[in-house]
Amino acid sequence: MWEHKALLLLPGIAGVVLAGLVGGLALGVTGLWSGAVLANVALVVVAILVVAVFATFFNAVLIVAADDALRGRPVGIGAGYGRALRRLPAIVVWALVGVVVIFFGSLLLVGIWWAMASYLVLPAMMIDGVGVREAMRTSRQAFRAHGGDSGRSSTWIALPVTLSFFPSVAVFGVGLTAVDRVSGVLAMAGATLWLAVAVTVTASLSGVFRVRHYRELTGRPAPAPTLPALHVSPVE
Protein backbone atom coordinates (compact mmCIF):
# COMPACT_ATOMS: atom_id res chain seq x y z
CA MET A 1 0.00 0.00 0.00
CA TRP A 2 2.88 2.35 0.74
CA GLU A 3 4.33 1.74 -2.72
CA HIS A 4 0.98 2.00 -4.49
CA LYS A 5 -0.84 5.08 -3.21
CA ALA A 6 -3.75 4.35 -5.56
CA LEU A 7 -4.78 1.57 -3.18
CA LEU A 8 -5.53 4.28 -0.63
CA LEU A 9 -6.93 6.74 -3.14
CA LEU A 10 -9.53 4.33 -4.55
CA PRO A 11 -11.40 3.78 -1.24
CA GLY A 12 -11.30 7.53 -0.65
CA ILE A 13 -12.92 8.20 -4.03
CA ALA A 14 -15.49 5.50 -3.33
CA GLY A 15 -16.30 6.98 0.07
CA VAL A 16 -16.89 10.46 -1.33
CA VAL A 17 -19.05 9.19 -4.19
CA LEU A 18 -21.09 6.88 -1.96
CA ALA A 19 -21.61 9.62 0.63
CA GLY A 20 -22.90 11.97 -2.06
CA LEU A 21 -25.03 9.20 -3.56
CA VAL A 22 -26.61 8.30 -0.23
CA GLY A 23 -27.31 11.95 0.53
CA GLY A 24 -28.86 12.53 -2.89
CA LEU A 25 -30.98 9.40 -2.69
CA ALA A 26 -32.11 10.31 0.82
CA LEU A 27 -33.26 13.73 -0.39
CA GLY A 28 -34.93 12.17 -3.41
CA VAL A 29 -36.76 9.55 -1.37
CA THR A 30 -37.87 12.19 1.13
CA GLY A 31 -39.16 14.40 -1.66
CA LEU A 32 -41.14 11.55 -3.22
CA TRP A 33 -42.43 10.23 0.10
CA SER A 34 -46.18 9.74 0.06
CA GLY A 35 -48.98 8.16 2.06
CA ALA A 36 -48.81 4.94 0.07
CA VAL A 37 -46.83 2.39 2.09
CA LEU A 38 -45.96 0.15 -0.86
CA ALA A 39 -44.68 3.10 -2.88
CA ASN A 40 -42.48 4.20 0.02
CA VAL A 41 -41.11 0.69 0.48
CA ALA A 42 -40.37 0.49 -3.25
CA LEU A 43 -38.46 3.78 -3.11
CA VAL A 44 -36.33 2.59 -0.18
CA VAL A 45 -35.64 -0.76 -1.87
CA VAL A 46 -34.56 0.93 -5.11
CA ALA A 47 -32.27 3.30 -3.20
CA ILE A 48 -30.67 0.39 -1.33
CA LEU A 49 -30.12 -1.56 -4.56
CA VAL A 50 -28.52 1.45 -6.27
CA VAL A 51 -26.11 1.98 -3.36
CA ALA A 52 -25.30 -1.75 -3.30
CA VAL A 53 -24.43 -1.75 -7.01
CA PHE A 54 -22.14 1.26 -6.66
CA ALA A 55 -20.47 -0.14 -3.52
CA THR A 56 -19.89 -3.52 -5.20
CA PHE A 57 -18.47 -1.80 -8.27
CA PHE A 58 -15.99 0.20 -6.20
CA ASN A 59 -14.96 -2.96 -4.35
CA ALA A 60 -14.37 -4.65 -7.70
CA VAL A 61 -12.12 -1.77 -8.80
CA LEU A 62 -10.10 -2.13 -5.59
CA ILE A 63 -9.78 -5.89 -6.16
CA VAL A 64 -8.39 -5.26 -9.65
CA ALA A 65 -5.92 -2.67 -8.36
CA ALA A 66 -4.77 -4.91 -5.50
CA ASP A 67 -4.20 -7.80 -7.90
CA ASP A 68 -2.07 -5.59 -10.16
CA ALA A 69 -0.06 -4.40 -7.15
CA LEU A 70 0.56 -7.91 -5.85
CA ARG A 71 1.67 -9.09 -9.28
CA GLY A 72 4.12 -6.22 -9.63
CA ARG A 73 2.14 -4.39 -12.29
CA PRO A 74 1.51 -0.63 -12.42
CA VAL A 75 -1.66 0.31 -10.56
CA GLY A 76 -3.72 2.62 -12.73
CA ILE A 77 -6.93 4.15 -11.45
CA GLY A 78 -8.43 4.56 -14.92
CA ALA A 79 -7.40 1.05 -15.92
CA GLY A 80 -9.02 -0.36 -12.80
CA TYR A 81 -12.30 1.36 -13.53
CA GLY A 82 -12.12 0.21 -17.14
CA ARG A 83 -11.63 -3.44 -16.21
CA ALA A 84 -14.44 -3.27 -13.68
CA LEU A 85 -16.77 -1.71 -16.24
CA ARG A 86 -16.17 -4.64 -18.57
CA ARG A 87 -17.52 -6.90 -15.82
CA LEU A 88 -20.40 -4.59 -14.92
CA PRO A 89 -23.26 -7.02 -15.74
CA ALA A 90 -21.80 -9.66 -13.39
CA ILE A 91 -21.12 -7.01 -10.73
CA VAL A 92 -24.74 -5.82 -10.88
CA VAL A 93 -26.03 -9.39 -10.58
CA TRP A 94 -23.79 -10.10 -7.60
CA ALA A 95 -24.80 -6.84 -5.88
CA LEU A 96 -28.50 -7.64 -6.25
CA VAL A 97 -28.02 -11.24 -5.11
CA GLY A 98 -26.02 -10.07 -2.11
CA VAL A 99 -28.66 -7.57 -0.98
CA VAL A 100 -31.52 -10.06 -1.29
CA VAL A 101 -29.67 -12.90 0.43
CA ILE A 102 -28.34 -10.69 3.24
CA PHE A 103 -31.84 -9.32 3.87
CA PHE A 104 -33.48 -12.72 4.16
CA GLY A 105 -30.37 -14.17 5.79
CA SER A 106 -30.61 -11.56 8.53
CA LEU A 107 -34.18 -12.65 9.19
CA LEU A 108 -32.99 -16.26 9.45
CA LEU A 109 -29.86 -15.31 11.47
CA VAL A 110 -27.46 -16.61 8.82
CA GLY A 111 -26.27 -13.24 7.53
CA ILE A 112 -22.78 -13.57 9.06
CA TRP A 113 -22.34 -17.05 7.59
CA TRP A 114 -23.32 -15.75 4.16
CA ALA A 115 -20.89 -12.82 4.40
CA MET A 116 -18.00 -15.15 5.26
CA ALA A 117 -18.96 -17.76 2.66
CA SER A 118 -19.11 -15.10 -0.08
CA TYR A 119 -15.90 -13.34 0.98
CA LEU A 120 -13.96 -14.42 -2.13
CA VAL A 121 -16.70 -14.05 -4.73
CA LEU A 122 -15.45 -10.72 -6.09
CA PRO A 123 -11.80 -11.85 -6.37
CA ALA A 124 -12.95 -14.92 -8.32
CA MET A 125 -15.09 -12.79 -10.62
CA MET A 126 -12.48 -10.09 -11.25
CA ILE A 127 -9.30 -12.19 -11.37
CA ASP A 128 -10.54 -15.29 -13.19
CA GLY A 129 -13.43 -13.71 -15.05
CA VAL A 130 -15.93 -16.37 -13.95
CA GLY A 131 -19.65 -15.83 -13.52
CA VAL A 132 -21.48 -15.28 -10.28
CA ARG A 133 -22.50 -18.93 -9.84
CA GLU A 134 -18.97 -20.27 -10.35
CA ALA A 135 -17.49 -17.56 -8.12
CA MET A 136 -19.96 -18.43 -5.35
CA ARG A 137 -19.05 -22.11 -5.61
CA THR A 138 -15.32 -21.34 -5.39
CA SER A 139 -15.83 -19.03 -2.42
CA ARG A 140 -17.96 -21.57 -0.54
CA GLN A 141 -15.38 -24.29 -1.07
CA ALA A 142 -12.62 -22.04 0.23
CA PHE A 143 -14.76 -21.10 3.23
CA ARG A 144 -15.42 -24.75 4.13
CA ALA A 145 -11.72 -25.57 3.92
CA HIS A 146 -10.21 -22.41 5.41
CA GLY A 147 -13.08 -20.47 7.01
CA GLY A 148 -11.32 -20.14 10.35
CA ASP A 149 -8.18 -18.63 8.82
CA SER A 150 -10.23 -16.19 6.76
CA GLY A 151 -12.27 -15.10 9.78
CA ARG A 152 -9.25 -14.53 12.03
CA SER A 153 -7.34 -12.62 9.37
CA SER A 154 -10.28 -10.42 8.39
CA THR A 155 -10.82 -9.62 12.08
CA TRP A 156 -7.25 -8.37 12.44
CA ILE A 157 -7.57 -6.36 9.22
CA ALA A 158 -10.63 -4.59 10.60
CA LEU A 159 -8.62 -3.44 13.62
CA PRO A 160 -8.12 0.18 12.42
CA VAL A 161 -11.87 0.73 12.19
CA THR A 162 -12.55 -1.22 15.39
CA LEU A 163 -10.10 0.88 17.40
CA SER A 164 -11.21 4.16 15.84
CA PHE A 165 -14.99 3.85 15.78
CA PHE A 166 -15.90 4.37 19.44
CA PRO A 167 -13.28 7.09 20.14
CA SER A 168 -14.46 8.92 17.01
CA VAL A 169 -18.10 8.70 18.11
CA ALA A 170 -17.15 9.90 21.60
CA VAL A 171 -15.15 12.89 20.30
CA PHE A 172 -17.94 13.72 17.84
CA GLY A 173 -20.46 13.66 20.69
CA VAL A 174 -18.27 15.95 22.79
CA GLY A 175 -18.01 18.36 19.88
CA LEU A 176 -21.74 18.23 19.29
CA THR A 177 -22.48 19.26 22.86
CA ALA A 178 -19.58 21.70 23.26
CA VAL A 179 -20.41 25.20 24.48
CA ASP A 180 -17.72 26.77 22.30
CA ARG A 181 -19.03 26.46 18.73
CA VAL A 182 -15.57 26.67 17.10
CA SER A 183 -14.09 23.98 19.34
CA GLY A 184 -17.15 21.82 18.77
CA VAL A 185 -16.88 22.08 14.99
CA LEU A 186 -13.16 21.30 15.10
CA ALA A 187 -13.78 18.28 17.33
CA MET A 188 -16.51 16.92 15.04
CA ALA A 189 -14.42 17.52 11.92
CA GLY A 190 -11.40 15.83 13.50
CA ALA A 191 -13.45 12.82 14.59
CA THR A 192 -14.97 12.46 11.14
CA LEU A 193 -11.58 12.71 9.45
CA TRP A 194 -10.06 10.22 11.89
CA LEU A 195 -12.77 7.67 11.20
CA ALA A 196 -12.60 8.29 7.45
CA VAL A 197 -8.85 7.58 7.42
CA ALA A 198 -9.38 4.40 9.44
CA VAL A 199 -12.10 3.21 7.05
CA THR A 200 -9.91 3.98 4.03
CA VAL A 201 -6.92 2.08 5.41
CA THR A 202 -9.11 -0.85 6.42
CA ALA A 203 -10.72 -0.99 2.98
CA SER A 204 -7.30 -1.02 1.30
CA LEU A 205 -5.99 -3.74 3.61
CA SER A 206 -9.12 -5.80 3.04
CA GLY A 207 -8.81 -5.55 -0.74
CA VAL A 208 -5.17 -6.61 -0.73
CA PHE A 209 -5.82 -9.44 1.71
CA ARG A 210 -8.80 -10.81 -0.25
CA VAL A 211 -6.76 -10.98 -3.45
CA ARG A 212 -3.73 -12.52 -1.78
CA HIS A 213 -5.88 -14.98 0.17
CA TYR A 214 -7.76 -15.99 -2.97
CA ARG A 215 -4.58 -16.59 -4.92
CA GLU A 216 -3.05 -18.65 -2.12
CA LEU A 217 -6.17 -20.80 -1.72
CA THR A 218 -6.38 -21.42 -5.47
CA GLY A 219 -2.71 -22.41 -5.68
CA ARG A 220 -1.55 -19.29 -7.51
CA PRO A 221 0.18 -17.10 -4.93
CA ALA A 222 1.28 -13.67 -6.04
CA PRO A 223 5.00 -13.50 -6.82
CA ALA A 224 7.25 -12.11 -4.12
CA PRO A 225 8.34 -8.52 -4.76
CA THR A 226 11.70 -8.33 -6.45
CA LEU A 227 14.39 -6.09 -5.04
CA PRO A 228 16.25 -3.77 -7.39
CA ALA A 229 19.48 -5.24 -8.70
CA LEU A 230 22.66 -4.15 -6.93
CA HIS A 231 25.16 -2.78 -9.45
CA VAL A 232 28.75 -2.95 -8.24
CA SER A 233 31.55 -1.29 -10.11
CA PRO A 234 34.75 -3.27 -10.92
CA VAL A 235 36.71 -1.20 -8.40
CA GLU A 236 34.26 -2.03 -5.62
Side-chain angles (χ1 to χ4, degrees), residues 75-124:
V75 178
I77 295 177
Y81 281 107
R83 287 172 60 186
L85 283 173
R86 289 194 290 271
R87 298 285 294 156
L88 186 58
I91 290 173
V92 171
V93 172
W94 171 237
L96 300 182
V97 169
V99 169
V100 173
V101 174
I102 287 176
F103 173 74
F104 289 103
S106 299
L107 297 179
L108 300 174
L109 303 180
V110 295
I112 296 178
W113 182 91
W114 166 260
M116 294 302 300
S118 60
Y119 189 63
L120 299 178
V121 169
L122 267 184

Side-chain angles (χ1 to χ4, degrees), residues 105-200:
S106 299
L107 297 179
L108 300 174
L109 303 180
V110 295
I112 296 178
W113 182 91
W114 166 260
M116 294 302 300
S118 60
Y119 189 63
L120 299 178
V121 169
L122 267 184
M125 289 171 53
M126 302 308 299
I127 294 174
D128 290 334
V130 299
V132 173
R133 182 177 300 179
E134 179 65 20
M136 291 174 65
R137 185 183 66 82
T138 302
S139 184
R140 285 197 304 268
Q141 290 177 347
F143 174 70
R144 292 192 188 102
H146 306 278
D149 296 337
S150 302
R152 286 189 293 271
S153 299
S154 59
T155 300
W156 280 107
I157 287 173
L159 202 59
V161 167
T162 304
L163 295 178
S164 302
F165 179 76
F166 291 107
S168 297
V169 171
V171 173
F172 190 91
V174 170
L176 191 63
T177 58
V179 177
D180 184 3
R181 185 178 298 273
V182 175
S183 300
V185 170
L186 290 176
M188 289 188 290
T192 303
L193 180 61
W194 183 7
L195 186 59
V197 170
V199 170
T200 300

Side-chain angles (χ1 to χ4, degrees), residues 6-84:
L7 294 177
L8 291 171
L9 182 60
L10 286 171
I13 295 174
V16 172
V17 173
L18 288 175
L21 179 65
V22 170
L25 288 173
L27 291 176
V29 169
T30 303
L32 296 174
W33 204 258
S34 64
V37 177
L38 291 179
N40 295 337
V41 171
L43 286 173
V44 173
V45 170
V46 170
I48 291 174
L49 293 178
V50 170
V51 173
V53 170
F54 272 84
T56 305
F57 175 78
F58 286 127
N59 276 325
V61 174
L62 181 59
I63 292 293
V64 169
D67 187 51
D68 285 340
L70 287 171
R71 297 176 67 181
R73 296 176 176 177
V75 178
I77 295 177
Y81 281 107
R83 287 172 60 186

Side-chain angles (χ1 to χ4, degrees), residues 213-227:
H213 195 48
Y214 175 75
R215 286 194 164 277
E216 289 175 349
L217 294 184
T218 55
R220 296 168 300 162
T226 56
L227 297 176

